[in-house]
Amino acid sequence: MRKFHINHFFAEEPQKCGDLLIYQIGTLYCDEKTGYDTHMHKNFFELTAVTGGQGEVSANGNPIAVRSGDIFLSYPFDTHKIVSDPADPLRYHFLAFDTVNEPFRYQLERVTKEFTAPAERLFCDGEILSSLGRAVYELDGGEAFHTEYCSRLLDCVLIRLLRHYFPSGKDFHKPGREEMLVFSVMNYINTHLYSLTSLTELCREFNYEYSYLSKLFSATASRTLEDYYRHQRMETARALLHDGYRVSETAEALHYASVYSFSAAFRRQYGISPMQYKKGLASPLNPPAP
């Protein structure tokens, strides 16, 4: 089998397709020399859907064996790596995505918190494999109504994914008004990390007093609003450093008062300085659970 690669790349401007925002989608047939080095995800999910061969998929340094029929779900800000078996090279579809459907995004956030072990991220679903492969083809626009069809295929992928983790109506919790408000606050923080300078800006955006938002967030999310903002800020900083940003550039992009205050916050979160992280002088990060 010769190496074969289709890669639709929309990372700079994600493409809306049904309820999904697509950052990257494609198909890769590895050969005996193909490798996919360690890289860090940004704020999106990714499916690796194996159609043939065998190998390993790693999330945050934890490898798990995969073979034909397996699907692996990677989370936002994961450190990700794929290793193909040279004797039986991997063939797989891939989809990096988020969703504009807030109830669906709420359920995906639940998945990241409730299913953390590598084995819990691995599952089989023939309909996802089939729909994802068809969506890759449809994006080339070779047939009538390809955009509409692709949107429906990818909506099915998302629904099948969520059904795997929450198979019954009882498991698939429908969030109430207060939960959706907290989720909206989370989503606003996630999408405004480069412009948000103070959490008090949330008051103007949501028309609530800060004390109310803070108490509601703590009661609903089992963590403080400040902790959530700090964690997301640090994970974004780690992604920027991984992508080659200088320490000073990262501190400025995330509105830290100084490089010193950013470095101190990074060390408190991860136990090493941002410069040590960039230089790879320390062992792999094992950040505390959020």
Side-chain angles (χ1 to χ4, degrees), residues 105-119:
R105 187 60 159 76
Y106 178 88
Q107 305 300 337
L108 285 171
E109 290 283 351
R110 284 185 62 202
V111 172
T112 66
K113 294 175 175 60
E114 297 178 24
F115 302 93
T116 57

Side-chain angles (χ1 to χ4, degrees), residues 25-227:
I25 182 172
T27 296
L28 177 60
Y29 286 16
C30 300
D31 61 18
E32 67 277 4
K33 298 179 181 179
T34 305
Y36 200 178
D37 293 336
T38 301
H39 60 287
M40 178 172 283
H41 286 173
K42 295 187 180 177
N43 196 20
F44 56 72
F45 295 82
E46 184 171 32
L47 287 174
T48 304
V50 182
T51 59
Q54 57 185 329
E56 286 185 346
V57 178
S58 296
N60 303 319
N62 299 307
I64 190 165
V66 294
R67 60 184 180 180
S68 183
D70 286 340
I71 301 172
F72 187 82
L73 176 63
S74 302
Y75 298 160
F77 301 111
D78 269 355
T79 301
H80 188 48
K81 183 178 182 180
I82 298 175
V83 178
S84 177
D85 185 339
D88 188 11
L90 282 171
R91 303 186 295 280
Y92 61 91
H93 305 312
F94 52 89
L95 172 67
F97 70 97
D98 202 346
T99 178
V100 296
N101 182 308
E102 290 200 353
F104 285 170
R105 187 60 159 76
Y106 178 88
Q107 305 300 337
L108 285 171
E109 290 283 351
R110 284 185 62 202
V111 172
T112 66
K113 294 175 175 60
E114 297 178 24
F115 302 93
T116 57
E120 293 176 315
R121 305 195 194 190
L122 189 70
F123 62 98
C124 297
D125 190 303
E127 288 193 32
I128 289 181
L129 282 170
S130 175
S131 295
L132 190 49
R134 185 67 186 176
V136 173
Y137 172 79
E138 289 293 332
L139 271 176
D140 282 326
E143 297 187 21
F145 306 110
H146 62 274
T147 301
E148 292 81 2
Y149 189 27
C150 187
S151 296
R152 284 154 180 77
L153 287 167
L154 292 178
D155 282 346
C156 287
V157 167
L158 177 57
I159 290 169
R160 294 287 302 184
L161 167 65
L162 292 174
R163 280 186 175 180
H164 166 74
Y165 286 102
F166 308 115
S168 71
K170 182 179 179 180
D171 291 333
F172 196 88
H173 170 64
K174 184 177 180 179
R177 184 188 66 83
E178 291 184 341
E179 287 175 307
M180 284 307 302
L181 175 58
V182 169
F183 172 74
S184 296
V185 169
M186 289 180 174
N187 192 51
Y188 185 86
I189 290 173
N190 294 348
T191 55
H192 290 78
L193 283 168
Y194 298 121
S195 60
L196 191 63
T197 59
S198 170
L199 287 177
T200 57
E201 295 173 26
L202 298 171
C203 303
R204 181 177 65 252
E205 179 66 24
F206 294 98
N207 200 29
Y208 287 103
E209 292 185 359
Y210 184 78
S211 59
Y212 172 77
L213 289 175
S214 179
K215 289 178 181 177
L216 178 63
F217 195 99
S218 296
T220 304
S222 300
R223 62 189 304 178
T224 68
L225 181 55
E226 292 80 4
D227 282 345

